[in-house]
Amino acid sequence: MLLHFDDEVEFASRLARSAGLATRLVERHRFPDGEIKLTLPVPLPPAVVVLRSLHRPNEKLLELVLLADTARALATRHLTLVAPYLAYMRQDRAFAPGEAVSQAIVGRLLAERFDRVITVDPHLHRTPALGHAVPARQALALSAAPLLGAHVLAHEPCALLLGPDAESEQWVRSAAGDRLEYAVCAKHRHGDSAVRIELPALPLAGRPVVLLDDMASTGSTLAECARLALAAGAASVDAAVTHALLDDASMARLAAAGIRNLVSTDTVPHPSNRIEVAGLIASAGLK
């Protein structure tokens, strides 16, 4: 059985269809003081898959605690969490005295309640494997990079894939495969939205460029890469990301920088969604 919430009905339908699962809705009620009540369908089978993408994560994490503990009380023995986007992975160490290491804290919270955690392209730049961040019995990180690469190949077969920094190389290399050329920039960050980018030393004049990364939030890095690429003579600049966490102001920033099109996967609902990941997740085996 696949349990889902009312704001992820369409994704749940695609995932259930791909994985051959029945779907059931978790009912939510919000009290006037803001507290929430969940009601799970009963009876529950011994093994349950829970879908919850963790963009805007704070209330959703509480929902998962309530859901998992209730499911255990209802005698469910095995719980799988499918979190297409997994939040709180960027803070993997304390960079100043007193900072909370959210990756370890949230990872432990999930691992204590779910036997298996499946996600797509988690933001693990200094953590070698998802299991180090989420110490569940099984922690599986899938990558949508080949799907992004296939989309680029279908629409811009002569494009240069350009990663915004060294950390993006793993995704850019995987997306490129053996059919697209790729390179990465050097990035120097001076704050949440202040960055300095250095282009790789190769000719861009007359070439279509596609910027590719695992996620985009403020859009500042992609925007700066686009400006530099166009100044270096790139014929066009598009962007492709797994997780689009961009608001209207961020999208306007990308457009102002000259980015022609942005495409993303549907791990996070966004107008740029063009690539579905339900089949990728189902291929991991959910039954």
Side-chain angles (χ1 to χ4, degrees), residues 120-121 144 147-148 241-244 263-270 272-277:
V120 180
D121 287 334
L147 299 178
L148 295 175
V241 298
T242 300
H243 311 296
V263 298
S264 65
T265 74
D266 60 351
T267 58
V268 177
H270 193 267
S272 64
N273 290 168
R274 298 291 183 274
I275 301 164
E276 296 181 358
V277 298

Side-chain angles (χ1 to χ4, degrees), residues 1-283:
M1 179 184 292
L2 175 67
L3 296 184
H4 65 92
F5 291 78
D6 56 5
D7 56 347
E8 293 186 290
V9 172
E10 293 182 4
F11 194 108
S13 296
R14 292 193 293 271
L15 181 58
R17 187 164 55 249
S18 297
L21 295 173
T23 61
R24 297 293 300 274
L25 183 69
V26 178
E27 295 182 6
R28 287 185 294 180
H29 174 76
R30 186 179 300 279
F31 293 101
D33 61 2
E35 291 186 6
I36 56 174
K37 179 181 72 172
L38 300 186
T39 303
L40 277 58
V42 290
L44 287 178
V48 169
V49 178
V50 179
L51 170 66
R52 203 69 178 127
S53 197
L54 291 174
H55 54 288
R56 299 183 178 179
N58 297 343
E59 185 169 290
K60 294 178 181 179
L61 287 169
L62 176 58
E63 291 171 351
L64 289 178
V65 170
L66 296 176
L67 186 155
D69 289 12
T70 303
R72 297 292 189 190
L74 293 169
T76 294
R77 295 193 299 272
H78 191 279
L79 281 171
T80 295
L81 171 64
V82 172
Y85 173 70
L86 184 59
Y88 283 112
M89 292 294 105
R90 63 162 59 88
Q91 186 80 10
D92 55 11
R93 65 182 67 172
F95 296 94
E99 282 187 347
V101 183
S102 56
Q103 183 188 94
I105 296 167
V106 172
R108 185 169 60 250
L109 179 147
L110 296 176
E112 288 171 350
R113 288 168 171 81
F114 292 92
D115 304 283
R116 189 183 192 203
V117 176
I118 301 173
T119 189
V120 180
D121 287 334
H123 204 62
L124 302 175
H125 287 162
R126 288 171 293 268
T127 303
L130 182 62
H132 292 264
V134 185
R137 294 181 188 175
Q138 184 178 13
L140 182 59
L142 306 171
S143 181
L147 299 178
L148 295 175
H151 183 90
V152 173
L153 190 63
H155 293 84
E156 283 285 1
C158 298
L160 169 70
L161 292 187
L162 189 60
D165 52 31
E167 293 174 336
S168 67
E169 182 175 2
Q170 57 182 307
W171 290 288
V172 179
R173 182 177 63 250
S174 178
D178 58 3
R179 301 187 65 181
L180 291 166
E181 186 180 354
Y182 76 92
V184 296
C185 301
K187 181 172 74 172
H188 307 277
R189 182 173 288 280
H190 304 289
D192 288 342
S193 58
V195 295
R196 180 170 63 85
I197 302 293
E198 296 177 16
L199 291 175
L202 78 169
L204 298 183
R207 299 201 63 178
V209 170
V210 177
L211 307 173
L212 192 143
D213 207 354
D214 64 324
M215 63 183 291
S217 51
T218 67
S220 298
T221 299
L222 292 179
E224 182 62 15
C225 286
R227 281 190 286 267
L228 292 173
L230 290 169
S236 61
V237 177
D238 298 310
V241 298
T242 300
H243 311 296
L245 302 166
L246 297 152
D247 59 16
D248 291 343
S250 300
M251 290 297 290
R253 182 178 294 119
L254 297 184
I259 292 179
R260 186 176 58 175
N261 295 301
L262 170 74
V263 298
S264 65
T265 74
D266 60 351
T267 58
V268 177
H270 193 267
S272 64
N273 290 168
R274 298 291 183 274
I275 301 164
E276 296 181 358
V277 298
L280 172 68
I281 295 171
S283 69

